[in-house]
Amino acid sequence: MRTQREVEGSTPTVPKAARVRQEPRLRAADAVSLSADGILGLDSDHRIRVFNPALEELTGLTKEEVVGKECHSVLRVTDSYGNPLCADACPLNHGESGRFNNEAEIVTAHGKRVPVDLHFAIQCSSTGGLRRAVVNVREAKDLHQASNVRSALLALVSHELQTPIAIIKAYASTLARADANWSEDVVREKLGAIEEESDRLSRLVSRLLYTSRLEASSISLNLMLLDLPLEIQRVTKRLAETDESHEILVSFPADFPPVTADPEKIDEVLTNLIENALKFSPEGGSVTIEGALTNSEVQITVGDQGVGIPASEVERIFERFYRVHDSGQHTPGTGLGLHICRLLVQVHGGRIWVNSEPGRGSRFTFTLPVAIDS
Ligand code: ADP
């Protein structure tokens, strides 16, 4: 008679509990390589000993390329203005054990600057020499956004604000020259230019202030029943007076209902959209404004036959200060108009979007809820 042991051949008998399939154990090294945060391990010479996959992904560098190198030569940590942070500002050089945080930027293998949050865990000897350190590196998305906004604001300030300031300064200095005797016509012309440029500056500054008030929701609406086709006739008549190269066509169904809205704010949205349609259709053509009615909302579409917007930019043009490189570069503007439009439409309970085809034109549509008692 064969025993149980013989049936199983040489397999030793294992207690039942142990026969259940065991999950692989999580070792410290696995935790490091699985971590979603970049992890950098440094030895006493600031040389890289650990460089986990998340950090490889973030930096575009491989572990093999960097292990053994000094960390400052690999990550090139700077502040958001590009000033190096690897010397005195780096906690690794402070001779102190403990945990420290830094907001910074690193440069990837492809030369891209990435904003990061750095969390240092540092061990130093009693004499202050570095023994070892672990640095957690995490991409800082909010910081990134803030730095995008900051660079857009800087670009705006440097171009849109500098130009009028330079003109005002030049004309004022010319007029103030003690050795010149300007004719009345010249004086009037230069003063006229100074006035025009001061108006431009003042418009820009109020736009900036207005945007920040809208973002802080500190604008109140003066709501009333609004006849949109009439309002649109008014806006287009005003804009058509200063534009002779485009045709503006308005079409609304006869039964178009009234909406509850603030006329001044809707005027602003329409003005922005129609001005853009004219501005970004350098070849002329027609600008159309159409009204449509769906279940509980009205839709207004401003269409043009202009330069259009690349698909990759469509999502971003409603962002603060955003301007499409090709279309916006030589056209005056602030990149605030569409952002303001979106804020204004949203406070009315509506939505705004764009359909566009580069080289063929764009269609901006916004919705407003139909007045309840209509
Ligand atoms: P601005 O016109 O002052 O630059 P906007 O916020 O109104 O700012 O528009 C942001 C960007 O969106 C513009 O710079 C332009 O690149 C793009 N854009 C807006 N409207 C149009 C349009 N009708 N056709 C093509 N591009 C447009």
Side-chain angles (χ1 to χ4, degrees), residues 156 207 272-281 302-304 306-310 313 316-329 331-341 354 356 361-364:
L156 173 75
R207 220 158 205 223
N272 267 324
L273 295 181
I274 302 170
E275 275 183 350
N276 276 351
L278 301 170
K279 185 163 82 172
F280 294 105
S281 310
V302 177
D304 64 58
V307 295
I309 302 158
E313 310 274 356
R316 306 207 54 196
I317 56 168
F318 294 96
E319 286 174 20
R320 212 202 279 119
F321 302 129
Y322 197 81
R323 310 192 72 211
V324 178
H325 193 64
D326 293 340
S327 61
Q329 206 182 16
T331 323
T334 57
L336 284 173
L338 289 178
H339 181 64
I340 292 177
C341 285
V354 62
S356 187
S362 311
R363 287 173 65 78
F364 284 84

Side-chain angles (χ1 to χ4, degrees), residues 65-293:
E65 284 173 283
V66 301
V67 164
K69 291 194 179 155
E70 286 188 78
C71 68
H72 68 84
S73 68
V74 171
L75 288 186
R76 291 185 283 153
V77 179
T78 67
D79 65 15
S80 57
Y81 298 101
N83 302 314
L85 291 180
C86 284
D88 296 346
C90 179
L92 295 169
N93 297 327
H94 293 176
E96 216 183 308
S97 297
R99 299 207 169 115
F100 308 90
N101 298 330
N102 254 1
E103 284 178 356
E105 287 189 1
I106 56 171
V107 183
T108 69
H110 316 293
K112 191 176 157 217
R113 302 168 69 87
V114 179
V116 288
D117 288 324
L118 301 174
H119 300 275
F120 295 82
I122 298 177
Q123 279 187 355
C124 286
S125 66
S126 53
T127 54
L130 180 68
R131 290 180 61 200
R132 55 191 176 173
V134 173
V135 188
N136 288 52
V137 186
R138 180 181 288 176
E139 187 173 357
K141 296 264 165 45
D142 291 349
L143 196 64
H144 190 49
Q145 252 178 13
S147 98
N148 275 349
V149 169
R150 193 175 49 231
S151 31
L153 181 60
L154 277 178
L156 173 75
V157 169
S158 57
H159 184 256
E160 295 298 322
L161 290 178
Q162 280 293 7
T163 312
I165 289 172
I167 296 174
I168 292 170
K169 164 92 178 123
Y171 284 178
S173 314
T174 312
L175 288 179
R177 267 173 52 189
D179 60 340
N181 198 2
W182 304 112
S183 72
E184 203 176 310
D185 282 352
V186 171
V187 172
R188 192 162 304 126
E189 184 210 324
K190 302 226 178 301
L191 286 176
I194 290 177
E195 190 180 13
E196 213 174 281
E197 294 304 317
S198 317
D199 285 346
R200 195 167 135 193
L201 266 181
S202 143
R203 267 197 309 275
L204 182 53
V205 171
S206 20
R207 220 158 205 223
L208 283 169
L209 294 175
Y210 183 55
T211 311
S212 69
R213 283 177 59 207
L214 271 178
E215 284 173 354
S217 310
S218 59
I219 296 265
S220 53
L221 291 181
N222 181 17
L223 292 176
M224 57 184 72
L225 271 190
L226 189 65
D227 180 345
L228 262 180
L230 196 68
E231 192 65 27
I232 287 171
Q233 289 293 356
R234 247 187 241 130
V235 176
T236 48
K237 186 161 176 279
R238 193 182 71 230
L239 295 175
E241 276 165 16
T242 52
D243 184 290
E244 289 181 353
S245 53
H246 300 87
E247 186 185 21
I248 305 183
L249 304 168
V250 180
S251 82
F252 275 82
D255 58 346
F256 199 79
V259 292
T260 310
D262 180 330
E264 209 183 290
K265 308 286 183 294
I266 297 303
D267 186 316
E268 243 182 291
V269 173
L270 290 164
T271 305
N272 267 324
L273 295 181
I274 302 170
E275 275 183 350
N276 276 351
L278 301 170
K279 185 163 82 172
F280 294 105
S281 310
E283 309 297 333
S286 52
V287 169
T288 53
I289 302 149
E290 296 153 54
L293 176 63

